[in-house]
Amino acid sequence: MSRAMLGVRPEVVEDVAVRALPRRPLAWPMRVVVVSAIALMAGGLAALADRVELLVLVVVVAAVIIAALIVFGHRAWQRGRSIDLMIEAVNSVVRASAPTRDLVTVSRWRGGWIGAPQRIVIRYPGDLVDSDLKFAETLVVQVSNRMGIAYRVKKNDARRCLITLTADPAAPEPVVDPDQSRLESVLSVIIPGVSVDEFVRDNADNLQRTILHWPPTSTSRVSKTIWQKQAVDAVRSSVVAPNAAQLTIDWDLTADRGTVRPLTPLPDVLPHPPRDDDNPMKIAFGHFRDGTPCVWDLDAPLPHLLIVGGTGGGKTVLLLSILTALPTGMRRDAFGRWVRDPDMPMAEIWPIDPKRLGLFNLGLLPGAKPAATREAAIVTYILKVKKLMDDRYEYLERNGPHLRSTLDPLVLAVDEGEEMADMLNEWWKSGGGKADWCQRMGLEKAPTGSIHPVMTAFGSILRLGREARVHVILASQQAAASWLSTSSRSQFAVRIALRNLEQSTSMMTFGSLVATAGLENKPGRAWVSPGMGIPPEHAQIFWTPKLAQGLGDEDRAIMHALGITLPDDPDFVPQDDVVQVPTEHGETEDVAETSGEEDAGRPHLYAVEDSTPIEEENVRSFELSVSELDVGMSILVDVDGEGVIATVESIDVDLEDQDYLILTYLTEDGEKGEVAVPDDEQVTILLPE
């Protein structure tokens, strides 16, 4: 049990957070009282001496002095108030241990009755790295923004730890946006010493760009996810602009700066572009916000692709976008006509569609088989792809692995993977699947278990397909461990989530909660991670029409640009390599190539069910950083040496140690508790499947 779970904090020395300066006192009232007392005594003496003229003189002089004290004293107080915000900013930059006015000295006031100081002398601690250019730059920006006029460094006396700023008459006076001051004030609580500049708006009052700077001492704090989230929320709530809800921050920790900008809008519809003859193995299926294409590289080390999304989310459209862009062994000639080229790769596509109509007419694609929709046909396709993979391994073993590049891609595409697994398992439990399996394998008795053995072959394809150029596209509502093992799920390099996901689905897909919010609820929107370890980003998926007759001119042009002719095209030619799909009971002649004596004597295939880490039904556990927790999440807490399920009620920063967070939780028994945990510590969260 960790010290954090016991509530024991390590003894560390941390800087005390700089708070607001105390209210500046009025000095002139006391001086007026003193002058009045002196005048009263002088007047009394003059009266005793019967010197009336002297008494009048005392009264007149005292009145003039008191008036001057009130007027100039109040002006001095107003000047002091005008620089207090600047002093607070300086205290934060120089890491003052407590709020103080003693570090700043101002002089040479000019510009109106109150004006502004032309010379500012700042004393900083000796342990501060004053040679860092970012220190002086941050100090100048903070002072200039708070005072409303431009300053520059006149002298930096490193020996005495003094830096002198002087007003820069050549620089234009900065125009401070009202939201800029408010945003800087709010962000300074989250990021100590932060300054806000370059507050740029367009003609519609939308915020286009804002630059944040912070001292190097705050960089470690800014690197934490929890502070980045709070900063983005602060920007969206503090800025008054039509596009405030679309603002985000690009963090540059090496330069100690952040750029506030609006999210680049994505198009609502993005038609599938023509086929790329120069890069047939790089399949583009959409665009990120910055305009770069989303690419599935078939030559990548992990060659498989995972698609996750709810019903109606667009999984089938995305599948069609990818499948229609696979290499077809064709290219355009000089006249723009599609011709076969033996030097071009040609993908062999084996589609599985338990929905039956999602991948209808896929046989129109060169190299594509008709979709397998029934149990026997699905088993046939998986076993066939497994055998082709094994044959390719034997070929490479005999002739050398250098010939891998000569192999054409072989793609097993599964629409609704979870439905496929449930369908096969139900068929297995009913007895029909066992009879079919015994016939295929030449067995007298079917293997035991509740999972269809072909799922082991499916897992083998995922783990071993790379070297044989065998690829899997798996689309499902969620990649739960109940049907897809963790080792199999880890084989997918490219991962796509259509629309925002639930917490458990986001954890299983991307290993974090990043895909739970922030994406517009529009058709074709997706979270896309183009490779292992790459955080997912927003993207718009290409629109690809279904392979059907009666398409409009625009949709038909999309298909023609991909080299696909439709049945109602004048130049339509049926594919020569179309094969018959087995029926529900496998009663077609073409099934013989994967059944009968060819598979006799093959080893039995058994599926191993994943074990869940906790005993709760329909609940999965994950490890998550404390800084990513949200109120309402279920976590495991240590109570008297036992793990207890609790709900997070609040998350607050520990004022005594800002690297710690205070979690307040409520157990299932109704007992409240509080614990201090480092913000980077991993805790166990429980999410329903």
Side-chain angles (χ1 to χ4, degrees):
M1 186 167 53
S2 65
R3 290 183 299 175
M5 297 301 289
L6 290 172
V8 179
R9 305 185 182 90
E11 294 184 2
V12 295
V13 178
E14 292 289 332
D15 294 332
V16 178
V18 178
R19 298 177 296 275
L21 290 169
R23 182 177 177 84
R24 183 179 288 269
L26 290 171
W28 61 264
M30 182 57 65
R31 295 170 183 171
V32 169
V33 170
V34 172
V35 171
S36 299
I38 295 174
L40 182 62
M41 289 187 294
L45 293 175
L48 291 175
D50 199 18
R51 301 284 301 274
V52 177
E53 70 281 3
L54 185 59
L55 178 62
V56 173
L57 179 63
V58 169
V59 172
V60 172
V61 171
V64 171
I65 294 176
I66 290 174
L69 287 176
I70 294 175
V71 172
F72 290 102
H74 188 70
R75 184 181 71 165
W77 180 81
Q78 287 182 309
R79 284 179 171 179
R81 290 274 294 174
S82 69
I83 65 174
D84 275 352
L85 289 178
M86 179 267 292
I87 295 175
E88 290 177 5
V90 170
N91 281 337
S92 179
V93 174
V94 302
R95 293 162 46 201
S97 59
T100 177
R101 296 183 174 90
D102 298 337
L103 300 179
V104 179
T105 304
V106 296
S107 60
R108 301 176 187 174
W109 291 79
R110 294 180 185 174
W113 175 249
I114 304 299
Q118 303 298 298
R119 183 172 181 268
I120 302 175
V121 179
I122 300 171
R123 181 182 300 277
Y124 54 87
D127 60 346
L128 200 65
V129 184
D130 57 324
S131 61
D132 188 353
L133 296 178
K134 295 178 183 177
F135 161 68
E137 177 187 350
T138 302
L139 200 59
V140 169
V141 170
Q142 287 278 29
V143 172
S144 299
N145 285 344
R146 302 288 180 159
M147 296 306 302
I149 63 174
Y151 287 86
R152 60 180 175 84
V153 177
K154 181 179 181 181
K155 181 181 180 181
N156 187 359
D157 189 346
R159 185 177 64 85
R160 300 170 59 196
C161 296
L162 293 175
I163 186 169
T164 303
L165 305 183
T166 184
D168 189 358
E173 293 188 4
V175 179
V176 181
D177 190 293
D179 288 350
Q180 181 175 350
S181 300
R182 179 168 59 252
L183 178 60
E184 186 171 291
S185 177
V186 173
L187 286 178
S188 62
V189 179
I190 303 171
I191 307 173
V194 69
S195 62
V196 179
D197 56 308
E198 294 188 32
F199 212 81
V200 181
R201 294 179 184 265
D202 61 12
N203 295 332
D205 205 29
N206 290 306
L207 181 62
Q208 295 299 308
R209 187 180 69 257
T210 293
I211 306 299
L212 311 179
H213 291 92
W214 57 82
T217 54
S218 298
T219 300
S220 61
R221 180 185 180 91
V222 177
S223 65
K224 305 294 179 59
T225 304
I226 185 173
W227 302 118
Q228 293 182 3
K229 287 182 178 179
Q230 291 190 13
V232 173
D233 293 340
V235 168
R236 293 177 177 177
S237 61
S238 301
V239 175
V240 179
N243 65 339
Q246 284 75 46
L247 296 177
T248 187
I249 303 178
D250 296 330
W251 303 98
D252 186 356
L253 300 181
T254 58
D256 298 332
R257 60 179 285 168
T259 303
V260 179
R261 62 170 181 83
L263 291 171
T264 304
L266 289 168
D268 291 337
V269 178
L270 199 59
H272 201 304
R275 184 181 301 279
D276 187 359
D277 295 339
D278 297 330
N279 298 289
M281 300 297 285
K282 294 184 178 180
I283 312 303
F285 54 86
H287 278 174
F288 291 111
R289 286 195 184 273
D290 60 2
T292 57
C294 309
V295 176
W296 177 31
D297 189 354
L298 298 180
D299 288 326
L302 294 178
H304 306 312
L305 183 143
L306 176 65
I307 303 172
V308 174
T311 302
K315 296 190 297 296
T316 302
V317 173
L318 175 55
L319 266 175
L320 288 174
S321 297
I322 296 172
L323 294 177
T324 53
L326 290 172
T328 60
M330 303 178 68
R331 62 170 179 82
R332 296 179 184 86
D333 62 11
F335 302 98
R337 297 172 302 185
W338 290 99
V339 296
R340 292 196 178 275
D341 185 346
D343 295 329
M344 294 287 288
M346 178 176 178
E348 186 176 345
I349 305 172
W350 294 78
I352 295 176
D353 181 18
K355 295 191 301 183
R356 304 185 184 182
L357 297 178
L359 301 180
F360 183 73
N361 267 350
L362 198 63
L364 295 174
L365 298 179
K369 316 301 179 187
T373 60
R374 303 285 184 168
E375 293 89 340
I378 294 173
V379 173
T380 297
Y381 272 31
I382 295 176
L383 291 179
K384 180 61 178 177
V385 172
K386 173 67 165 56
K387 184 178 184 304
L388 291 174
M389 182 185 71
D390 294 338
D391 292 343
R392 291 186 172 201
Y393 268 103
E394 293 179 5
Y395 169 77
L396 295 175
E397 287 176 351
R398 289 195 309 267
N399 301 283
H402 64 283
L403 295 177
R404 176 184 179 274
S405 59
T406 65
L407 299 176
D408 286 335
L410 192 155
V411 178
L412 176 63
V414 181
D415 193 3
E416 295 296 349
E418 187 173 6
E419 179 64 25
M420 177 194 74
D422 291 343
M423 179 189 295
L424 292 177
N425 293 337
E426 289 298 324
W427 188 45
W428 179 262
K429 295 175 184 177
S430 67
K434 294 182 179 180
D436 176 81
W437 189 257
C438 291
Q439 181 183 356
R440 292 174 184 272
M441 299 300 173
L443 303 175
E444 294 182 359
K445 183 178 180 181
T448 59
S450 60
I451 297 179
H452 199 296
V454 80
M455 293 303 295
T456 299
F458 183 72
S460 180
I461 295 171
L462 288 172
R463 293 186 293 272
L464 303 177
R466 180 177 70 90
E467 290 298 331
R469 269 201 169 176
V470 177
H471 312 270
V472 176
I473 304 174
L474 179 60
S476 182
Q477 295 192 24
Q478 60 177 354
S482 58
W483 69 275
L484 185 66
S485 66
T486 303
S487 61
S488 296
R489 191 164 57 243
S490 64
Q491 303 302 317
F492 293 93
V494 179
R495 303 184 179 205
I496 307 169
L498 292 161
R499 304 187 185 178
N500 295 318
L501 303 177
E502 294 192 4
Q503 293 179 346
S504 59
T505 307
S506 178
M507 288 296 300
M508 287 184 287
T509 306
F510 300 112
S512 70
L513 301 176
V514 65
T516 57
L519 187 64
E520 304 98 317
N521 187 21
K522 294 183 178 181
R525 293 289 197 270
W527 292 90
V528 176
S529 172
M532 292 296 292
I534 301 178
E537 298 181 28
H538 297 173
Q540 176 67 28
I541 302 303
F542 293 148
W543 160 251
T544 304
K546 288 192 174 183
L547 301 167
Q549 302 182 39
L551 294 180
D553 293 339
E554 294 183 359
D555 288 342
R556 191 177 298 273
I558 292 175
M559 306 309 291
H560 291 170
L562 293 170
I564 301 171
T565 56
L566 301 170
D568 55 350
D569 284 334
D571 56 347
F572 173 72
V573 178
Q575 298 296 325
D576 297 332
D577 54 351
V578 172
V579 298
Q580 296 294 323
V581 182
T583 63
E584 184 175 357
H585 301 289
E587 297 173 354
T588 64
E589 296 179 357
D590 295 300
V591 179
E593 61 181 352
T594 58
S595 61
E597 295 181 0
E598 182 179 340
D599 291 322
R602 294 182 63 184
H604 297 174
L605 304 176
Y606 296 92
V608 180
E609 299 186 53
D610 278 6
S611 59
T612 56
I614 60 175
E615 297 179 358
E616 296 287 334
E617 295 183 358
N618 302 322
V619 173
R620 296 291 298 169
S621 63
F622 303 94
E623 294 297 317
L624 191 68
S625 174
V626 173
S627 60
E628 296 187 68
L629 289 178
D630 287 328
V631 174
M633 283 187 174
S634 296
I635 61 174
L636 282 181
V637 297
D638 193 312
V639 178
D640 297 330
E642 295 184 0
V644 177
I645 299 177
T647 302
V648 179
E649 289 200 327
S650 65
I651 306 174
D652 299 303
V653 180
D654 191 342
L655 297 179
E656 298 182 9
D657 187 347
Q658 294 190 4
D659 286 336
Y660 275 69
L661 297 177
I662 301 295
L663 299 185
T664 303
Y665 59 85
L666 181 67
T667 67
E668 292 181 329
D669 297 333
E671 296 183 2
K672 282 194 173 184
E674 185 180 281
V675 63
V677 189
D679 55 15
D680 58 353
E681 181 167 311
Q682 299 288 313
V683 296
T684 301
I685 67 171
L686 308 177
L687 297 176
E689 291 190 348

